[in-house]
C-alpha cells in the first residue's frame, strides 16, 4: 500500500484551515510566521516561497525577511532577538544553509525555543530527548504523523533508521524509541513510540543484514537506490525521506526526483511504502504549519513555563 503523503497533507491542511478560521471567527488574530532568508540561493528561494504559499492556503500570516548574503552575523543575531521579542510573531525560521561566514549553530541557538517552529534549537532537541513537550522538527513530525494517520503502530517493532542527521535521522530515532506519552497535539491514537530503533550511517557494517531484521525502515541518506529489494523482508514498511535529482533527458526539466529506495522493486514486497515525490515531502511542509499553530497556541504562556 502506498502511503500517500500528498493526500494526507491535503487533509491536514483542510483541518488547519478550519482551526485558523475558528480563531479569526472568534475575534482572535491569525497565527503569524516569519521566514528569514539570507542571500539568494535559488533552492532556498523556492522553499521559502512554497512555505509562504502553504501558509496562505490555511490562513496563517507569513512574512519573508530577506537579507543580502553579505549581512554580518551580528546583524542577523540582532534580527533574531527582535523576532524573539516581537509578540505579533508566533514562530519563525531561518532558512538554511546560511553563508559560510555566519555560524549556523550560533544562529540556531539564539532562537527562542518557543518560537522555533523548525524544532532545531538545542532546547527543543534536548526537550524532545527528555520526553518534555517540545516543537519537533518538520520532517520527523511529518513521518510520525503519516504513520499515525495510517495507524501503523510502532510499539515493539524493530525500526531501522538509515542516516543520522540532526534534522531527520537522530530526531525520528529518538521519537520512535520514546514512551508514547510524548504525544503530539492532533495525532491519532495509534501507538507511536516504544519501538526498538537501530540507527545506521555511512560507517555501518553490513547494512543489508540489519535491514533484513527491520519491521520498518526509514531511509534518509541522500543516495539513490540505497535500499534494494534484497535488503528488505516481505511485509516491511518503508519510509523514503531521500530527495535526489537524477538526469533524465526524457523529463521536461532534464532531471527527475527520486528517493533513496529502489521503489519499483521494493514496493511489491512492502506492506506500506512512501513514494518520492508525494510521500514525506508534503508532510514536511504541512508540519511547519502545524508547528506554527502549536507555537501560536502556546504563545501566551509566561517565560520559563514548560510548554
Ligand atoms: P545528510 O545529507 O545530512 O546526511 C546523510 C546521512 O546518511 C548521514 O548521516 C550519512 O552517515 C548517511 N549515509 C550516507 N550514505 C550512506 C550509506 N551508503 N549507507 C548508510 N548511511 C549513509 O542527511 P539529511 O539532511 O537527513 O538528508 C538525507 C536525505 O533526505 C537527502 O536526500 C535530503 O534531500 C532528504 N531530505 C528530505 C526531506 C523531505 O522533506 N522529504 C527533508 C530533509 C531531508
Amino acid at each position: 500500500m502506498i502511503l500517500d503523503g500528498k493526500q494526507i497533507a491535503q487533509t491536514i491542511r483542510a483541518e488547519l484551515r478550519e482551526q485558523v478560521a475558528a480563531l479569526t471567527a472568534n475575534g482572535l488574530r491569525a497565527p503569524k510566521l516569519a521566514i528569514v532568508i539570507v542571500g539568494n540561493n535559488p533552492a532556498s528561494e523556492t522553499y521559502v516561497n512554497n512555505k509562504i504559499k502553504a501558509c496562505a492556503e490555511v490562513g496563517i500570516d507569513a512574512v519573508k525577511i530577506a537579507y543580502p548574503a553579505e549581512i554580518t552575523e551580528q546583524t542577523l543575531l540582532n534580527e533574531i532577538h527582535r523576532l524573539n521579542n516581537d509578540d505579533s510573531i508566533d514562530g519563525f525560521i531561518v532558512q538554511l544553509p546560511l553563508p559560510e561566514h555566519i555560524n549556523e549553530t550560533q544562529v540556531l541557538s539564539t532562537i527562542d525555543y518557543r518560537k522555533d517552529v523548525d524544532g532545531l534549537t538545542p532546547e527543543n532537541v534536548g526537550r524532545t530527548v527528555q520526553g518534555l513537550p517540545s516543537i519537533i522538527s518538520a520532517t520527523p513530525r511529518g513521518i510520525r504523523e503519516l504513520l499515525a494517520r495510517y495507524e501503523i503502530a510502532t510499539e515493539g517493532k524493530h525500526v531501522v533508521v538509515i542516516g543520522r542527521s540532526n534534522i531527520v535521522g537522530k530526531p525520528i530515532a529518538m521519537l520512535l524509541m520514546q514512551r508514547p506519552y510524548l504525544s503530539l497535539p492532533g495525532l491519532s491514537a495509534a501507538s507511536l513510540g516504544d519501538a526498538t530503533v537501530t540507527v545506521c550511517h555511512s560507517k555501518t557494517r553490513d547494512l543489508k543484514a540489519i535491514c533484513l531484521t527491520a519491521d520498518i525502515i526509514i531511509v534518509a541518506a541522500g543516495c539513490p537506490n540505497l535500499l534494494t529489494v534484497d535488503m528488505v523482508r516481505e511485509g516491511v514498511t518503508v519510509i523514503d525521506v531521500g530527495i535526489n535529482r537524477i538526469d533524465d533527458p526524457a523529463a521536461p526539466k532534464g532531471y527527475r526526483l527520486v528517493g533513496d529506495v529502489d521503489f519499483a522493486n521494493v514496493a511489491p514486497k512492502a506492506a506500506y511504502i512512501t513514494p518520492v515525490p508525494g510521500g514525506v515531502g508534503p508532510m514536511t511542509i504541512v508540519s511547519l504549519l502545524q508547528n506554527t499553530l502549536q507555537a501560536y497556541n502556546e504563545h501566551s504562556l509566561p517565560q520559563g513555563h514548560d510548554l
Side-chain angles (χ1 to χ4, degrees):
M1 181 183 201
I2 302 287
L3 299 174
D4 189 344
K6 201 171 164 193
Q7 174 66 47
I8 299 289
Q10 202 175 322
T11 305
I12 297 172
R13 275 200 300 275
E15 293 168 4
L16 285 169
R17 205 175 303 129
E18 272 181 29
Q19 288 163 17
V20 174
L23 293 171
T24 49
N26 281 324
L28 297 167
R29 67 168 177 81
K32 188 167 179 183
L33 171 75
I35 304 180
V36 179
I37 177 167
V38 180
N40 37 23
N41 174 328
S44 293
E45 299 260 8
T46 306
Y47 293 143
V48 168
N49 292 338
N50 287 343
K51 288 170 188 175
I52 289 174
K53 208 171 117 207
C55 283
E57 275 175 31
V58 303
I60 292 177
D61 280 343
V63 50
K64 176 167 148 183
I65 301 170
Y67 281 105
E70 308 75 46
I71 186 182
T72 64
E73 187 176 303
Q74 192 53 52
T75 308
L76 184 58
L77 294 177
N78 291 346
E79 177 64 16
I80 290 171
H81 285 299
R82 190 189 69 74
L83 290 167
N84 283 343
N85 293 312
D86 181 344
D87 282 342
S88 73
I89 303 282
D90 301 294
F92 65 98
I93 63 175
V94 178
Q95 184 67 41
L96 302 178
L98 290 168
E100 276 187 6
H101 67 279
I102 295 178
N103 181 338
E104 216 164 86
T105 309
Q106 175 71 35
V107 167
L108 292 179
S109 306
T110 307
I111 299 173
D112 183 329
Y113 79 93
R114 287 162 295 215
K115 293 193 175 188
D116 166 32
V117 287
D118 256 348
L120 295 177
T121 57
E123 285 92 336
N124 267 321
V125 176
R127 292 174 69 89
T128 303
V129 171
Q130 294 194 348
L132 295 169
S134 60
I135 301 180
I136 291 163
S137 59
T139 305
R141 178 170 181 157
I143 294 171
R144 220 175 97 140
E145 181 96 42
L146 195 60
L147 291 169
R149 298 269 172 159
Y150 279 92
E151 299 192 356
I152 300 171
T154 56
E155 182 188 324
K157 303 266 179 73
H158 182 205
V159 177
V160 170
V161 177
I162 307 177
R164 55 178 162 186
S165 70
N166 284 340
I167 61 166
V168 186
K170 280 186 207 162
I172 192 64
M174 194 52 62
L175 285 174
L176 294 181
M177 61 158 267
Q178 298 264 13
R179 290 180 60 194
Y181 59 80
L182 177 73
S183 66
L184 287 172
L187 266 190
S188 86
S191 174
L192 286 173
D194 274 344
T196 303
V197 181
T198 302
V199 180
C200 301
H201 46 75
S202 51
K203 305 288 182 214
T204 296
R205 269 186 263 150
D206 208 353
L207 184 64
K208 177 178 170 177
I210 297 169
C211 288
L212 281 169
T213 67
D215 301 301
I216 298 174
I217 305 178
I218 299 173
V219 202
C223 305
N225 288 319
L226 178 62
L227 192 77
T228 48
V229 67
D230 56 315
M231 297 167 75
V232 302
R233 289 198 293 204
E234 196 73 42
V236 69
T237 292
V238 177
I239 305 290
D240 189 354
V241 185
I243 301 178
N244 308 290
R245 269 187 188 192
I246 58 163
D247 292 339
D248 181 357
K253 290 182 181 165
Y255 68 86
R256 62 194 166 89
L257 295 181
V258 298
D260 291 349
V261 177
D262 174 9
F263 183 87
N265 293 306
V266 172
K269 216 170 166 184
Y272 299 97
I273 187 164
T274 58
V276 177
V280 174
M283 295 300 297
T284 297
I285 295 194
V286 90
S287 297
L288 173 67
L289 307 180
Q290 290 177 302
N291 280 347
T292 304
L293 188 59
Q294 182 186 335
Y296 172 95
N297 287 331
E298 291 160 350
H299 187 69
S300 55
L301 291 174
Q303 292 272 329
H305 191 294
D306 275 353
L307 294 180

